[in-house]
Amino acid sequence: MLSQIVSALGVVVVAVFACSAYFYFSNKILDLALPVSDGDVRAASRNLNRRAVIRPWLFLGPALFLLFVYLVYPVVATFILSFYDRSGLQFVGLANYKWAIGDREFRQSIFNNILWLAVVPAACTFFGLVIAVMTDRIWWGNIAKSIVFMPMAISFVGASVIWKFIYEYRGGNDVQIGLLNAIVQLFGGTPEVWISVPFWNNFFLMVILIWIQTGFAMVILSAALRGIPEETIEAAVIDGANGWQIFWRIMVPQVWGTIAVVWTTITILVLKVFDIVLTMTNGQWQTMVLANLMFDWMFRGGGDSGRSAVIAIIIMLAVTPIMIWNVRRANRELKGH
């Protein structure tokens, strides 16, 4: 444990030192390469202009390089790989895409992803907004916010383990230790293996992500709600608006941009959901989603590079329209200001 802490601290120190050294020496070299002398005013002015053009790229250069290496290149390489066989050596054209269209498991994954996209972002945003409004009206609101936000500190795998105990099922005459089955049994119901019930088990898995991400939505939306002018709320109260009308007609329209950001962020997260499904069901009982299917084909039968690449491309294509819409919305807001 101590060695890991020392190693982590060493990495942080070395990284910070390396970044500082890079920026310091690169600026020094730039100043030496383009000197500003008092003797030649025109040359000095020209060099100052050149410095102004080059200096920002000294800061952006490393980030752009890493962006290309870790984002642009993998996307291009994955796209090319999707046209090759399982070994990545023989060109097979659109065969992998035809397989994806005709594969039952792939279609099931698409359906499950659509289901997740329809439920999770909306539920997280709605509950986050409602909790943000309610906790701003009570004296122990900060405590309540801390409790709601706490799951954000838990990893997806850790949260899945917690909820696995909640959904736990014991067969025969064993005592039910799972919270959900214990409640069902208390009211005279029959315990079930909840995560193996087709279709509905997807919702049981979604609850985990909603539990984790509602805190994120609450914090962002709470900050946005506090930016609403008090005069607007007071005017609505004077005009006779009730709490429900103030919420839907005053608060929601004024924080709509923030709601869109929260919804978009959670939507992108849902498209990448992997850990929860892997930990809870490993894709069994019709719970497979695209990220898990891609991972499965990366290692199934020794791995299939072509098919896993196709699934990765489809996930990226699904994310792209959301990103474009978000960027355009941000640009419109900037132009509006």
Side-chain angles (χ1 to χ4, degrees):
M1 183 67 175
L2 181 61
S3 62
Q4 293 174 332
I5 294 174
V6 172
S7 177
L9 289 174
V11 170
V12 171
V13 171
V14 170
V16 171
F17 176 78
C19 290
S20 302
Y22 165 76
F23 291 123
Y24 176 79
F25 287 110
S26 61
N27 279 278
K28 279 290 184 183
I29 293 170
L30 178 64
D31 293 340
L32 291 172
L34 299 172
V36 179
S37 58
D38 296 333
D40 191 344
V41 177
R42 293 182 62 184
S45 177
R46 185 171 60 251
N47 286 344
L48 281 173
N49 290 333
R50 289 175 179 175
R51 284 184 186 182
V53 172
I54 296 172
R55 203 179 302 277
W57 293 102
L58 295 178
F59 290 85
L60 289 173
L64 292 175
F65 174 75
L66 292 174
L67 188 67
F68 176 81
V69 171
Y70 291 103
L71 184 61
V72 178
Y73 171 72
V75 170
V76 174
T78 301
F79 180 71
I80 294 172
L81 199 60
S82 68
F83 296 102
Y84 284 78
D85 67 350
R86 62 182 300 117
S87 64
L89 299 175
Q90 184 178 352
F91 183 79
V92 294
L94 297 174
N96 291 320
Y97 290 91
K98 292 178 181 178
W99 159 82
I101 295 172
D103 185 69
R104 184 190 61 82
E105 194 174 30
F106 178 82
R107 294 197 300 270
Q108 181 68 50
S109 300
I110 291 286
F111 173 77
N112 289 341
N113 265 103
I114 293 172
L115 203 61
W116 279 73
L117 288 171
V119 175
V120 175
C124 291
T125 306
F126 175 76
F127 289 130
L129 182 60
V130 170
I131 293 170
V133 172
M134 293 176 64
T135 51
D136 279 341
R137 297 173 178 270
I138 53 179
W139 65 268
W140 50 279
N142 289 333
I143 299 174
K145 286 180 181 178
S146 300
I147 294 171
V148 174
F149 187 76
M150 199 175 295
M152 278 288 295
I154 305 173
S155 68
F156 283 8
V157 173
S160 300
V161 171
I162 292 171
W163 281 86
K164 207 162 191 174
F165 282 112
I166 294 176
Y167 297 143
E168 179 70 17
Y169 170 80
R170 293 290 179 89
N173 296 321
D174 294 342
V175 177
Q176 297 297 328
I177 65 169
L179 179 61
L180 183 56
N181 274 324
I183 294 172
V184 169
Q185 205 170 37
L186 179 66
F187 287 97
T190 304
E192 296 281 350
V193 186
W194 301 105
I195 61 173
S196 69
V197 180
F199 181 71
W200 298 107
N201 50 10
N202 286 290
F203 293 95
F204 293 128
L205 301 187
M206 291 177 204
V207 168
I208 303 171
L209 189 55
I210 293 170
W211 180 66
I212 296 172
Q213 289 297 312
T214 296
F216 162 77
M218 175 201 66
V219 170
I220 304 299
L221 293 170
S222 179
L225 288 170
R226 291 187 178 184
I228 297 176
E230 288 291 336
E231 295 81 4
T232 307
I233 307 296
E234 291 172 1
V237 173
I238 292 172
D239 288 341
N242 56 38
W244 188 256
Q245 292 171 326
I246 291 173
F247 176 74
W248 284 110
R249 297 184 180 181
I250 305 297
M251 293 181 173
V252 171
Q254 295 200 55
V255 298
W256 186 251
T258 307
I259 291 173
V261 170
V262 171
W263 178 86
T264 303
T265 305
I266 298 176
T267 297
I268 294 171
L269 179 68
V270 168
L271 284 169
K272 301 184 295 182
V273 68
F274 169 78
D275 313 64
I276 293 173
V277 176
L278 182 69
T279 305
M280 295 294 290
T281 64
N282 195 26
Q284 300 178 85
W285 307 301
Q286 300 177 22
T287 59
M288 186 71 79
V289 292
L290 288 174
N292 294 84
L293 187 63
M294 179 189 71
F295 178 80
D296 188 26
W297 276 105
M298 286 174 64
F299 300 102
R300 181 186 297 183
D304 192 317
S305 300
R307 291 183 177 182
S308 59
V310 165
I311 301 169
I313 290 296
I314 290 170
I315 294 173
M316 287 186 282
L317 288 175
V319 172
T320 302
I322 301 169
M323 297 296 294
I324 293 173
W325 173 81
N326 205 33
V327 170
R328 286 183 175 178
R329 185 193 56 78
N331 287 336
R332 284 197 300 269
E333 289 186 359
L334 288 173
K335 290 177 181 178
H337 290 295

